[in-house]
Amino acid sequence: MPLNPGYEEMLRQLDAVGGPALTGMPVEAGREMFRAMQTDASEIEVGTVRDIDAGGVPARVYRPDGSGPFPVVMMFHGGGWVIGDLDTADCQSREVCRGAGALVVSVDYRLAPEHRFPAAAEDSYSATLWAADNASVYDGDASSLAVAGDSAGGNLAAVVAQMARDRREPAIAFQLLVYPVTDGVNFDRASYRDNADGYLLTAEAMHWFWDHYAPTPDDRRHPYASPLLADDLSRLPPTLVMTAEYDPLRDEGEDYARALARAGVDARFVRYDGFIHGFFAHTRMIDATREAMSDACAALRVAFNAN
């Protein structure tokens, strides 16, 4: 399909503004730029929002209105493990809290290059363990626990699901993987070639992110960095993978869904034609992306009701 008109206009405006590419900036400047690109989501009202310590990992808890206990969604933000924070994930956290009727625990894992692989993965797993033990304090029901994230956050959600299986705790009911990073070794898929430049996330930026997070070949081959490369993908939670047509990460996300299904996991993917990378956070900017958010929240509700 053609690029969505809303995205055509967004990309036209960004091109008119100009400025250096992320890969040409100091890391801290890139983080500030990413924060500045986000829209204010405070109008998406939820019951309460609290910054907490999740077992040594900073986190933010979003509680819905109404009576609990509520199912729990662990939210891992995007940003290539290098940029992004609780504020940049605020919009999607609020949307999921409201749309899925869930207690959302957004995780502020350590960032690279100050903290390379596996710091982000271990922080994300530690916070999930904490939530399994402590969600009830915030009116959460950890017997219905899902992991979710977009981009690098989708990578971390997939990795946490593998860690939980391998380490035998906690039980995870569902994984929502939104345009996830799944493979740090193969950069020659068609979506990398076709969408290398011009659609917000570039192939060059993905190499930059990987170089900061997991610069060595051994680290990149580890399944907790590249979940698609795991020898065993069985016994993982039901999964929805969401991808964008104009995204370098499209094919590796869809490959992960197919690999999970081959391993006997209840897994599927949905490709959003005309969309670019980042649509999970664009519900305040691009009206068409609200359908994808609604689909994500509906999948979570179904998974929680089935649990």
Side-chain angles (χ1 to χ4, degrees):
M1 282 184 60
L3 193 63
N4 179 275
Y7 279 124
E8 286 186 352
E9 180 59 25
M10 174 194 285
L11 295 173
R12 188 180 304 115
Q13 291 177 2
L14 290 173
D15 187 57
V17 171
L22 175 66
T23 54
M25 293 182 179
V27 166
E28 191 52 49
R31 292 169 181 164
E32 289 297 331
M33 180 186 72
F34 189 52
R35 291 186 195 106
M37 291 174 65
Q38 310 308 311
T39 57
D40 178 23
S42 58
E43 67 186 58
I44 308 170
E45 294 184 0
V46 298
T48 60
V49 180
R50 295 180 59 181
D51 287 351
I52 65 162
D53 182 314
V57 181
R60 183 172 293 168
V61 175
Y62 298 78
R63 183 192 184 279
D65 280 323
S67 300
F70 303 99
V72 180
V73 176
M74 302 302 298
M75 181 68 71
F76 308 112
H77 67 78
W81 314 278
V82 176
I83 60 179
D85 54 29
L86 297 178
D87 291 337
T88 65
D90 185 60
C91 180
Q92 66 204 48
S93 297
R94 289 173 178 271
E95 292 272 24
V96 169
C97 178
R98 280 175 59 99
L103 189 81
V104 172
V105 182
S106 182
V107 179
D108 197 15
Y109 54 84
R110 288 172 291 171
L111 298 177
E114 297 92 337
H115 306 281
R116 299 188 190 276
F117 173 81
E122 293 293 348
D123 282 359
S124 298
Y125 176 72
S126 293
T128 304
L129 272 182
W130 175 91
D133 291 336
N134 296 279
S136 60
V137 175
Y138 302 93
D139 217 4
D141 176 10
S143 67
S144 293
L145 175 65
V147 292
D150 66 311
S151 195
N155 169 277
L156 293 171
V159 166
V160 167
Q162 290 194 23
M163 287 177 158
R165 177 202 60 185
D166 298 345
R167 301 174 184 181
R168 302 187 178 183
E169 62 175 341
I172 294 176
F174 189 73
Q175 50 180 342
L176 172 67
L177 312 180
V178 185
Y179 37 83
V181 186
T182 67
D183 186 350
V185 174
N186 179 9
F187 298 97
D188 195 38
R189 291 178 172 85
S191 60
Y192 253 94
R193 298 192 302 271
D194 296 344
N195 306 307
D197 197 20
Y199 299 108
L200 200 60
L201 177 67
T202 66
E204 180 184 40
M206 280 308 306
H207 286 287
W208 186 82
F209 287 134
W210 273 112
D211 288 345
H212 282 307
Y213 179 57
T216 72
D218 285 346
D219 282 347
R220 292 195 188 187
R221 292 190 190 97
H222 197 290
Y224 293 169
S226 296
L228 180 59
L229 304 187
D231 292 334
D232 180 11
L233 291 175
S234 66
R235 297 174 291 112
L236 289 168
T239 306
L240 172 61
V241 177
M242 306 174 78
T243 64
E245 181 180 9
Y246 295 97
D247 183 356
L249 302 182
R250 183 194 68 210
D251 292 351
E252 65 190 78
E254 296 175 3
D255 284 350
Y256 192 57
R258 294 187 186 99
L260 289 171
R262 287 195 298 271
V265 176
D266 178 9
R268 64 187 177 95
F269 71 84
V270 178
R271 181 189 295 183
Y272 290 88
D273 291 334
F275 284 12
I276 67 172
H277 190 87
F279 66 76
F280 204 53
H282 294 161
T283 56
R284 293 307 185 236
M285 297 183 284
I286 309 292
D287 286 345
T289 65
R290 298 205 57 78
E291 178 185 357
M293 179 59 72
S294 294
D295 292 345
C297 293
L300 287 163
R301 290 195 305 271
V302 168
F304 291 138
N305 289 334
N307 189 40

